[in-house]
Amino acid sequence: QVQLVESGGGLVQAGGSLRLSCAASGRTFSSYAMGWFRQAPGKEREFVAAISSGGSSTHYADSVKGRFTISRDNAKNTQYLQMDSLKPEDTAVYYCAAAVTSFIVTTRSAYKSWGQGTQVTVSS
């Protein structure tokens, strides 16, 4: 079981940017795909973005496509989520997750390990 720790959340004005990081423990980080999910108050946790184990493939939710960029550095056991042109509706707790496979998956059940979450608040 890999342990994940997110950082980089905070308060930002609409139109601004934030970069989330997720540090993973263990030596098998490069073996599995990674993803980001988010959960707003009163709503279910939803898929945001995913990246394959080697980093060559990415996939985004329609709501963030063109504004968010997922990346990973396997040498540092870290994945990132660059969030630009933020909107108030992006306000949520963002979670880092490690998948059970090396290829991209978007369903929550396909992710075996989760971070504790980091709050992102976008003011209008």
Side-chain angles (χ1 to χ4, degrees):
Q1 186 102 355
V2 64
Q3 292 189 334
L4 305 171
V5 179
E6 302 99 334
S7 60
L11 173 64
V12 64
Q13 288 188 332
S17 298
L18 281 174
R19 188 194 196 201
L20 305 183
S21 298
C22 172
S25 64
R27 294 178 290 179
T28 60
F29 178 75
S30 61
S31 300
Y32 35 84
M34 297 291 295
W36 289 95
F37 288 73
R38 67 186 181 186
Q39 187 167 17
K43 295 187 177 181
E44 291 190 357
R45 193 172 300 187
E46 64 175 4
F47 169 79
V48 174
I51 187 166
S52 60
S53 60
S56 60
S57 298
T58 58
H59 183 73
Y60 299 91
D62 288 343
S63 59
V64 306
K65 198 172 296 182
R67 300 187 298 120
F68 290 11
T69 303
I70 188 171
S71 62
R72 65 190 296 164
D73 185 337
N74 286 346
K76 295 182 178 179
N77 279 13
T78 304
Q79 75 154 346
Y80 306 95
L81 185 68
Q82 177 68 40
M83 305 185 295
D84 299 317
S85 302
L86 282 162
K87 305 175 181 180
E89 51 263 44
D90 294 319
T91 295
V93 177
Y94 283 70
Y95 297 90
C96 167
V100 298
T101 68
S102 61
F103 50 88
I104 289 174
V105 287
T106 62
T107 56
R108 287 178 56 183
S109 60
Y111 287 82
K112 60 181 178 180
S113 301
W114 295 82
Q116 81 288 352
T118 185
Q119 177 70 46
V120 171
T121 303
V122 184
S123 63
S124 57

mmCIF file of all heavy atoms in Angstrom, residues 32-33 98-102 105 109-112:
data_model
loop_
_atom_site.group_PDB
_atom_site.id
_atom_site.type_symbol
_atom_site.label_atom_id
_atom_site.label_comp_id
_atom_site.label_asym_id
_atom_site.label_seq_id
_atom_site.Cartn_x
_atom_site.Cartn_y
_atom_site.Cartn_z
ATOM 1 N N TYR A 32 2.300 2.313 -11.388
ATOM 2 C CA TYR A 32 0.857 2.471 -11.473
ATOM 3 C C TYR A 32 0.459 3.871 -11.915
ATOM 4 O O TYR A 32 1.167 4.838 -11.716
ATOM 5 C CB TYR A 32 0.180 2.125 -10.141
ATOM 6 C CG TYR A 32 0.945 2.499 -8.905
ATOM 7 C CD1 TYR A 32 0.862 3.775 -8.382
ATOM 8 C CD2 TYR A 32 1.736 1.562 -8.252
ATOM 9 C CE1 TYR A 32 1.563 4.128 -7.250
ATOM 10 C CE2 TYR A 32 2.436 1.902 -7.114
ATOM 11 C CZ TYR A 32 2.356 3.181 -6.616
ATOM 12 O OH TYR A 32 3.054 3.532 -5.496
ATOM 13 N N ALA A 33 -0.713 3.910 -12.514
ATOM 14 C CA ALA A 33 -1.289 5.188 -12.911
ATOM 15 C C ALA A 33 -1.698 5.976 -11.669
ATOM 16 O O ALA A 33 -1.936 5.405 -10.606
ATOM 17 C CB ALA A 33 -2.501 4.955 -13.811
ATOM 18 N N ALA A 98 -3.738 6.590 -6.138
ATOM 19 C CA ALA A 98 -2.918 5.655 -6.906
ATOM 20 C C ALA A 98 -3.801 4.516 -7.407
ATOM 21 O O ALA A 98 -4.534 3.906 -6.623
ATOM 22 C CB ALA A 98 -1.794 5.105 -6.042
ATOM 23 N N ALA A 99 -3.719 4.229 -8.703
ATOM 24 C CA ALA A 99 -4.570 3.212 -9.315
ATOM 25 C C ALA A 99 -4.009 1.805 -9.117
ATOM 26 O O ALA A 99 -2.852 1.624 -8.733
ATOM 27 C CB ALA A 99 -4.724 3.499 -10.802
ATOM 28 N N VAL A 100 -4.840 0.814 -9.406
ATOM 29 C CA VAL A 100 -4.421 -0.587 -9.323
ATOM 30 C C VAL A 100 -3.796 -1.053 -10.636
ATOM 31 O O VAL A 100 -3.330 -2.185 -10.730
ATOM 32 C CB VAL A 100 -5.600 -1.507 -8.949
ATOM 33 C CG1 VAL A 100 -6.131 -1.144 -7.576
ATOM 34 C CG2 VAL A 100 -6.710 -1.399 -9.984
ATOM 35 N N THR A 101 -3.812 -0.186 -11.640
ATOM 36 C CA THR A 101 -3.270 -0.544 -12.946
ATOM 37 C C THR A 101 -2.218 0.481 -13.385
ATOM 38 O O THR A 101 -2.076 1.527 -12.766
ATOM 39 C CB THR A 101 -4.380 -0.562 -14.001
ATOM 40 O OG1 THR A 101 -4.838 0.778 -14.210
ATOM 41 C CG2 THR A 101 -5.547 -1.428 -13.564
ATOM 42 N N SER A 102 -1.534 0.162 -14.488
ATOM 43 C CA SER A 102 -0.551 1.101 -15.030
ATOM 44 C C SER A 102 -1.173 2.048 -16.061
ATOM 45 O O SER A 102 -0.591 3.077 -16.390
ATOM 46 C CB SER A 102 0.599 0.339 -15.691
ATOM 47 O OG SER A 102 0.118 -0.457 -16.761
ATOM 48 N N VAL A 105 -7.360 5.061 -15.631
ATOM 49 C CA VAL A 105 -8.707 4.699 -15.234
ATOM 50 C C VAL A 105 -9.359 5.920 -14.610
ATOM 51 O O VAL A 105 -8.667 6.774 -14.048
ATOM 52 C CB VAL A 105 -8.723 3.511 -14.244
ATOM 53 C CG1 VAL A 105 -8.398 2.212 -14.956
ATOM 54 C CG2 VAL A 105 -7.733 3.736 -13.104
ATOM 55 N N SER A 109 -13.366 3.197 -7.919
ATOM 56 C CA SER A 109 -13.081 1.834 -7.463
ATOM 57 C C SER A 109 -11.753 1.303 -7.997
ATOM 58 O O SER A 109 -11.221 0.322 -7.477
ATOM 59 C CB SER A 109 -14.214 0.895 -7.879
ATOM 60 O OG SER A 109 -14.350 0.884 -9.283
ATOM 61 N N ALA A 110 -11.219 1.935 -9.025
ATOM 62 C CA ALA A 110 -9.956 1.475 -9.616
ATOM 63 C C ALA A 110 -8.733 2.033 -8.901
ATOM 64 O O ALA A 110 -7.605 1.739 -9.285
ATOM 65 C CB ALA A 110 -9.913 1.870 -11.089
ATOM 66 N N TYR A 111 -8.960 2.848 -7.887
ATOM 67 C CA TYR A 111 -7.860 3.464 -7.155
ATOM 68 C C TYR A 111 -7.745 2.830 -5.773
ATOM 69 O O TYR A 111 -8.724 2.737 -5.038
ATOM 70 C CB TYR A 111 -8.065 4.978 -7.057
ATOM 71 C CG TYR A 111 -7.824 5.644 -8.389
ATOM 72 C CD1 TYR A 111 -8.808 5.677 -9.371
ATOM 73 C CD2 TYR A 111 -6.582 6.191 -8.698
ATOM 74 C CE1 TYR A 111 -8.564 6.241 -10.616
ATOM 75 C CE2 TYR A 111 -6.330 6.773 -9.939
ATOM 76 C CZ TYR A 111 -7.328 6.788 -10.882
ATOM 77 O OH TYR A 111 -7.088 7.351 -12.114
ATOM 78 N N LYS A 112 -6.541 2.391 -5.426
ATOM 79 C CA LYS A 112 -6.332 1.604 -4.209
ATOM 80 C C LYS A 112 -5.862 2.430 -3.017
ATOM 81 O O LYS A 112 -6.054 2.025 -1.875
ATOM 82 C CB LYS A 112 -5.303 0.511 -4.478
ATOM 83 C CG LYS A 112 -3.928 1.045 -4.906
ATOM 84 C CD LYS A 112 -2.959 -0.095 -5.171
ATOM 85 C CE LYS A 112 -1.608 0.452 -5.655
ATOM 86 N NZ LYS A 112 -0.646 -0.636 -5.918
#
